[in-house]
Amino acid sequence: MADSHSDDLIQALVSGLSGSVVLTLVHQAAKELSPDAPRMDVLGVRGLRKLLAAADAPQPGPETAYNVTMAGDLLVNGLYYSLVGSGPDAWWRGAALGVAAGVGGVVLPGPLGLGDGPSNRTPQTKLMTVAWYTLGGLVAAGVSRWWARK
């Protein structure tokens, strides 16, 4: 029975990481192609700097802050998308988790003191934010369903 739980955990983590990688790749490609693209990397660096300042910790240089943010995004989004789990309801969970993350990405940065611009500056930016997080959730669901059929 322990093997079954281990397999389920590995399936969830791999599925979640897959959704996170696709989300990050889309964000990184789009920022080169569209001025309206969401800049979640900018929000991540702002968040990192804010946390470090609150902890009275030294601030890293721009490249280090960016790299730490990208690694953190992959890890945290991967863990979040791993909640998709398995089974036929994975598609619904992936869509719901993705939409929730996307709406949160539009609504929360301002109140958190990170600024509105990176994810909220135009209607297109808002739409892309929600759509891409939803895509990440659906990729996680798709990988989970594929894994279950193996």
Side-chain angles (χ1 to χ4, degrees):
M1 184 164 238
D3 287 337
S4 174
H5 290 302
S6 295
D7 290 346
D8 290 347
L9 179 60
I10 292 168
Q11 177 181 347
L13 292 173
V14 168
S15 299
L17 183 60
S18 299
S20 181
V21 166
V22 167
L23 171 67
T24 301
L25 289 173
V26 169
H27 272 123
Q28 294 306 301
K31 78 178 187 180
E32 302 297 325
L33 301 173
S34 172
D36 288 323
R39 294 299 308 271
M40 304 314 273
D41 56 325
V42 171
L43 288 176
V45 169
R46 288 178 185 174
L48 173 65
R49 293 201 181 284
K50 191 171 183 173
L51 285 172
L52 292 174
D56 207 21
Q59 294 288 331
E63 186 174 338
T64 300
Y66 177 82
N67 290 336
V68 167
T69 297
M70 288 293 98
D73 280 350
L74 286 168
L75 175 65
V76 171
N77 288 327
L79 291 173
Y80 177 76
Y81 286 134
S82 73
L83 296 173
V84 164
S86 60
D89 289 342
W91 289 110
W92 289 108
R93 284 190 301 273
L97 287 167
V99 168
V103 170
V106 170
V107 172
L108 294 176
L112 292 174
L114 302 176
D116 290 323
S119 64
N120 202 7
R121 70 183 163 280
T122 69
Q124 293 83 2
T125 307
K126 294 175 191 178
L127 179 63
M128 284 186 262
T129 301
V130 175
W132 295 345
Y133 277 94
T134 303
L135 174 65
L138 293 173
V139 167
V143 170
S144 177
R145 297 301 298 142
W146 169 81
W147 186 294
R149 289 186 198 137
K150 280 182 29 168

